Amino acid sequence: MPILGKPTGYATITGVYGETSEADTYHCCHCQYQVHVKPGSGKTRGFCFLCHAPTCGRGKCQECTPFMRKIEEQENRFRLRRAMERGYDR
Amino acid sequence: MPGARFHADGFQTLIASLTAPDSALSVTVHATVAHRIWLYEITMGNVGTPADLVSVYYIGQVTAPGTATAVTPTNTADNADQAARSVAGSNHTVEPTYVATIEGTGLRTPADGDLLRVPLNHRGTYRWVAPPGGEFVAPATTTDGFAGAADHASAVTDYMIGMHWVE
C-alpha cells in the first residue's frame, strides 16, 4: 500500500510452521532505516514536512537532512580527499 | 541508476555472544573504482539445524569490509554483462567497520548506521524487497557499503544472509 503516494517496501516472514506474515515497509527519509508498518502498534514515528515523508522517529532524524544529501556530502568529501592526495598539480 | 543486478549470499556461525556478533555477508564499493550500490532485496534465516530460538538479524552501513571469504556475485540480469565491481565477502574473520558500533555493544542498541533490524525465529525466514526508488543506497566512496550479522546468547548454528543489488 503506498504511503503518501510513495511505493513501500515489502517484507515476508515465513514462520516456524510455514505460515507467512507480510508487512509493508518504508524507509526513513533521513537515515534509510527500514520500518515495518504495524497498524495499531502504538509506536511513535515521525514525519518530515520538508521531505513530505515519514521518518523512523529517532531523535537524530528530527532535523531535516535527506539521506541522499548525506550520501552526496560523503561522496564530495571522498572526492576532495582524493584530490588532496593527488596534489595540486594534477 | 545503472542497471546491472547482482546477488550474493553469506554464511556464518553464531558464536553464543550478544556483544560480539560475527557478520555473514558484506557488500562494499570497489576499493579503487567508486560507484554507488542500490540494495533492493534481502533474505535471511538460520540454516544449521535451527531450534525454537530467536536471533536478532541486523543490516547496517559499513565503511570497510573487514576480512572475509571472497564471494563472486552472480549477475542476475544478464550473464554476458560485466562482472560486479562491488566486493562481496562471507564468513567474516575480521568484522566489517560498521557505522554503528556493534562490536562490544551488540546488535540490540539502535544507532546511526542501522538499516534493518529483525528478530526472527531460527526456524523462520525473512525476505525484504524494496520498490524502485526505495532501495538502500551506499555512497560512491571506496569500501563503503552494507553488511549483515545475527546474534544469539547460546546458539552456535549457522545462519545465512543474501543480498540483491543494482550497481
Side-chain angles (χ1 to χ4, degrees):
Chain A
M1 183 199 309
I3 295 177
L4 301 169
K6 294 173 181 160
T8 53
Y10 188 66
T12 308
I13 301 170
T14 305
V16 176
Y17 301 106
E19 75 283 9
T20 58
S21 59
E22 300 166 342
D24 288 328
T25 66
Y26 70 85
H27 68 201
C28 171
C29 58
H30 295 163
C31 74
Q32 298 195 75
Y33 186 74
Q34 202 65 212
V35 176
H36 289 71
V37 178
K38 293 178 187 168
S41 69
K43 287 186 179 171
T44 304
R45 304 293 183 189
F47 187 85
C48 177
F49 285 94
L50 296 174
C51 300
H52 196 60
T55 70
C56 61
R58 290 185 283 187
K60 68 181 180 63
C61 289
Q62 291 189 355
E63 188 177 332
C64 178
T65 310
F67 75 85
M68 279 311 293
R69 188 193 296 170
K70 292 179 186 171
I71 283 176
E72 285 162 5
E73 285 171 356
Q74 210 170 335
E75 290 171 349
N76 289 340
R77 283 196 298 272
F78 173 70
R79 280 193 285 267
L80 176 63
R81 197 178 71 231
R82 273 286 170 90
M84 292 171 74
E85 285 169 359
R86 281 200 304 265
Y88 294 108
D89 298 338
R90 300 165 67 186
Chain B
M1 181 192 305
R5 293 173 181 269
F6 295 94
H7 165 72
D9 287 322
F11 293 83
Q12 183 58 276
T13 305
L14 294 168
I15 58 166
S17 169
L18 290 180
T19 56
D22 277 356
S23 296
L25 177 67
S26 64
V27 176
T28 53
V29 175
H30 194 276
T32 54
V33 183
H35 57 89
R36 284 184 178 171
I37 301 172
W38 286 268
L39 184 64
Y40 68 91
E41 182 171 338
I42 298 168
T43 51
M44 45 206 186
N46 194 296
V47 294
T49 323
D52 192 12
L53 303 167
V54 174
S55 279
V56 169
Y57 288 76
Y58 173 83
I59 305 293
Q61 296 170 329
V62 299
T63 56
T67 305
T69 306
V71 177
T72 303
T74 305
N75 189 325
T76 57
D78 181 2
N79 280 332
D81 202 354
Q82 65 178 4
R85 284 175 293 176
S86 303
V87 177
S90 165
N91 195 14
H92 287 69
T93 52
V94 175
E95 283 296 281
T97 306
Y98 285 89
V99 173
T101 305
I102 67 166
E103 195 65 32
T105 305
L107 306 178
R108 301 171 186 227
T109 305
D112 190 20
D114 298 347
L115 293 175
L116 182 66
R117 181 180 282 107
V118 181
L120 184 66
N121 191 292
H122 286 191
R123 289 173 177 159
T125 59
Y126 177 87
R127 176 173 180 251
W128 170 78
V129 184
E135 303 90 347
F136 293 137
V137 187
T141 304
T142 53
T143 71
D144 273 21
F146 310 102
D151 69 6
H152 195 271
S154 58
V156 289
T157 50
D158 292 345
Y159 72 97
M160 189 209 97
I161 295 177
M163 293 181 181
H164 291 69
W165 70 92
V166 178
E167 63 177 50

